[in-house]
Amino acid sequence: MGGSLDLHFDIAAMVIMVVILGMLSGKKNIPIKRSYVFIVMCIVQVLVIVCSMGMQICFTSDEYYSGSLSLIFADLYYALDFFTAFIFMYYMVLWSGRSIRTKRLTQVILFIPLIVYAVMIADNFINHNLYKILPGGGFVYSERLEILSGVALYAMIFGICYAIKYVEAMSYGKLTAIALGCAGVVVGLLLQFHINESFFINFVIAISILLLYELAQNPLNILDGNTQVMNRTIMDEMLGLDIEEEKRFELIVLAMDDFKLINKTYGIDMGDVMLRQVADFLGTVSRRGKVFRYGSDQFAVQIKPGSDNLKDVLNNITERFRHPWIYEDNSIHLSATTICISYPDDGSTLGSLIEVLDYTILFAKKKNRGSVIYTKEVDLHAMRKEKAIEKAVEEAIQNDTLEVHYQPIYNTDKGCYTSAEALVRMKDEKLGNISPEIFIPIAERTGKIVKLGTMVFEKVCKFMHEQNIANSTIEYIEVNVSVVQCMREDFVDTILEIMDKYEIRPEQINLEITETAEISALQILQDNVEKLHAKGITFSLDDYGSGYSTLGYIHQFPFHIIKLDKLMVWDAFETERAGTTLKYTVGMIKELNMHIVAEGVETEQQQKRLSTLGCDYLQGWYYSKAVPPEQFASLIKKAS
Ligand code: C2E
Ligand code: CA
Ligand code: CA
């Protein structure tokens, strides 16, 4: 260090630290261990800067130069400065969500440098041997300081590596940013050894701490913007830590019922107000429970044993929902389904708890709306089966093992097969053949149906192209599409691109739609159907009479064909009333100028009667089951 005083960098560093501390004190703190460690890191850094300034003032001033005050500043400076590296390391360990309590080797690897640090710093307090004071002012670093820097560097790298190893708790992006910040500190340290004129290392460290604040500690990234309760990311982190340390807890999840309807009826702003009120209320139901926003219309309250009585909290919540929620002139009744899950009884990892929880929410929404349900009451066997199927679908898509079979459809007028329905088939190594009736709804729930549907459609077009279907009696193929697919903005483009690729004409495709999934974007759905219809592609309303398809749809969409559900067909042969219903249904559809396919035709009697009634097309096992592509190809060749 030269003789002239240059405090610019330290002053700038101090300003940054004061700003960070100001921001921390102004906002709601995140009540987890790493937040307190972060505050300690900031305070230590402020002390480091104070010592650094004191030390420089002393060393450059003749009066204080040899005084004991300068030695106190310098010794304290080094003790605190290198300690920051260990605090950082501990911070990263906490952030990773994995405790080192049970890891012996890690503890040893960690404590050795800490001991080296402690011994060297203690020695320095007695012998002041980390630096050399030059006669006539200023000082130089000793080699020991380089060793200490190496130890600090080791601690920092350890912290980052530990976090990388358990990276699930944080994103790679954040980790990269932190690693870059650390690299900055290291480069700064190396430069500082060579550039003695100005003392900038504290500034570099302050910048890195600011970066860390932005990435990991900024409450704005952790609290939900509307309700000001903690968000899902931090919930996962906090629960993860408790699980890591094997601390028991109960989680109450409050899932609002029909909240979409509230938004629709009263407007989104009012919906937000209601959510705020519910969040505020949940903040009062327990003494020490933590409230999180679990999903868009779901909250979670974490209750630790000993702090609150679960029953009381639940009663409190149920009681509150009996009364309306008031805002300005509005008095709104809300309903919520409450789910209780406990760790470790209902799951030993965060992943398994969330899995059980999400399944229970789904289950409760179907059967126990507005009530309290414990996950213990739910049949988890069904959930495991569903998860296995979900995985099987994923693998089938990835490995391209899905097959499409074709079921011919008989034209009563022409007396031959003029179309066929494409039906997807999935065979899993462990689960065997799985019916689409089972896996399609699961694929719809998980969004996998989009990829699956596109694959099926491409296989159909490819088959039609390769078999030169246009040269047979088969005029078009009926392909099932889920409304989940049809509600996507890119649906029309996807369909047209594939048809273009295999040179399929619009008249050769008929798309079958059933409402098996919830229609959340009716406008997009209607627009897409209109666009494809305008191109010349026809549509069928599938499963008419099954409860999924109602008369309303006939008016909303330009259907060319109505497919009578097999149960409706079968019923017609069971009772007279059902027979009459079928007769008039057929009459009505004909009156509306649409064509009719009767499904589930299994007997000669059915075939005869349905033809007489005026059904244009018949489909069922009486004619053929759905068969593999090769078999279907030879079947139509024979027929033509
Ligand atoms: P769906 O569209 O109503 O298809 C007709 C179902 O009835 C098929 O079952 C077919 O094999 C069966 N079936 C046909 N004739 C008879 C008969 O005479 N008697 C009896 N008992 N059954 C008959 P599958 O193949 O198991 O398909 C079940 C459902 O899965 C389909 O019902 C459709 O909703 C869905 N699905 C199948 N493939 C696809 C697909 O590629 N995409 C989408 N989104 N859904 C599909
Ligand atoms: Ca169908
Ligand atoms: Ca059907």
Side-chain angles (χ1 to χ4, degrees), residues 460-473:
V460 172
C461 289
K462 189 163 181 251
F463 173 76
M464 291 170 80
H465 177 79
E466 284 172 358
Q467 296 299 326
N468 197 6
I469 281 279
N471 269 356
S472 71
T473 60

Side-chain angles (χ1 to χ4, degrees), residues 60-77:
T60 48
S61 129
D62 293 334
E63 281 162 58
Y64 292 107
Y65 150 65
S66 59
S68 57
L69 192 59
S70 54
L71 296 182
I72 292 174
F73 275 135
D75 292 345
L76 263 181
Y77 171 76

Side-chain angles (χ1 to χ4, degrees), residues 37 284 435 533 618:
V37 173
T284 65
S435 158
H533 184 247
L618 304 177

Side-chain angles (χ1 to χ4, degrees), residues 165-293:
K165 178 149 187 228
Y166 300 109
V167 77
E168 347 138 23
M170 63 197 83
S171 72
Y172 276 104
K174 281 189 176 176
L175 259 185
T176 316
I178 289 172
L180 283 177
C182 285
V185 171
V186 173
V187 171
L189 209 62
L190 290 175
L191 281 176
Q192 187 70 82
F193 274 121
H194 294 97
I195 304 171
N196 270 357
E197 286 77 48
S198 66
F199 207 61
F200 52 78
I201 186 65
N202 293 326
F203 178 67
V204 177
I205 294 174
I207 294 275
S208 301
I209 293 180
L210 183 64
L211 181 74
L212 196 59
Y213 170 82
E214 239 344 278
L215 291 173
Q217 286 299 139
N218 191 345
L220 290 180
N221 302 336
I222 283 160
L223 299 182
D224 170 55
N226 176 32
T227 59
Q228 292 298 302
V229 295
M230 285 176 277
N231 67 19
R232 178 67 197 272
T233 317
I234 200 74
M235 169 177 156
D236 285 357
E237 182 181 335
M238 289 171 73
L239 297 190
L241 272 176
D242 284 336
I243 290 170
E244 182 71 17
E245 294 176 358
E246 295 180 3
K247 289 183 185 154
R248 300 186 73 88
F249 62 81
E250 307 275 351
L251 200 66
I252 300 172
V253 172
L254 196 87
M256 312 291 290
D257 298 326
D258 300 319
F259 201 72
K260 273 202 198 99
L261 200 66
I262 300 281
N263 277 332
K264 238 187 218 164
T265 320
Y266 298 95
I268 304 260
D269 287 344
M270 184 55 89
D272 282 351
V273 170
M274 289 297 114
L275 289 177
R276 272 203 295 279
Q277 289 201 4
V278 172
D280 288 348
F281 160 70
L282 289 177
T284 65
V285 293
S286 68
R287 273 183 296 143
R288 289 177 50 212
K290 293 182 183 117
V291 184
F292 305 94
R293 188 151 178 189

Side-chain angles (χ1 to χ4, degrees), residues 403-404 407 421-425 434-441 444 449 452-453 456-457 460 479-483 485 512 514 516 542-543 563 565-566 570 599-603 606 619-626:
E403 281 182 26
V404 177
Q407 185 174 32
E421 177 172 2
L423 293 157
V424 67
R425 294 288 174 258
I434 308 166
S435 158
E437 221 127 21
I438 292 170
F439 73 78
I440 292 286
E444 286 185 323
I449 190 74
L452 186 150
V456 167
F457 191 70
V460 172
V479 189
N480 292 285
V481 286
S482 158
V483 289
Q485 285 172 270
E512 296 190 4
T514 338
T516 42
D542 202 356
D543 300 340
K563 297 193 80 167
D565 188 61
K566 47 183 174 282
W570 295 339
E599 290 188 317
V601 183
E602 291 187 343
T603 63
Q606 289 173 342
Q619 174 184 2
W621 294 352
Y622 174 74
Y623 296 100
S624 166
K625 287 196 173 184

Side-chain angles (χ1 to χ4, degrees), residues 130-163:
L130 287 175
Y131 49 90
K132 260 196 227 84
I133 297 167
L134 300 172
F139 76 107
V140 290
Y141 308 115
S142 79
E143 277 146 22
R144 283 177 154 249
L145 200 64
E146 284 174 23
I147 299 175
L148 203 53
S149 300
V151 170
L153 182 64
Y154 174 91
M156 280 189 329
I157 292 177
F158 178 91
I160 291 186
C161 290
Y162 195 88

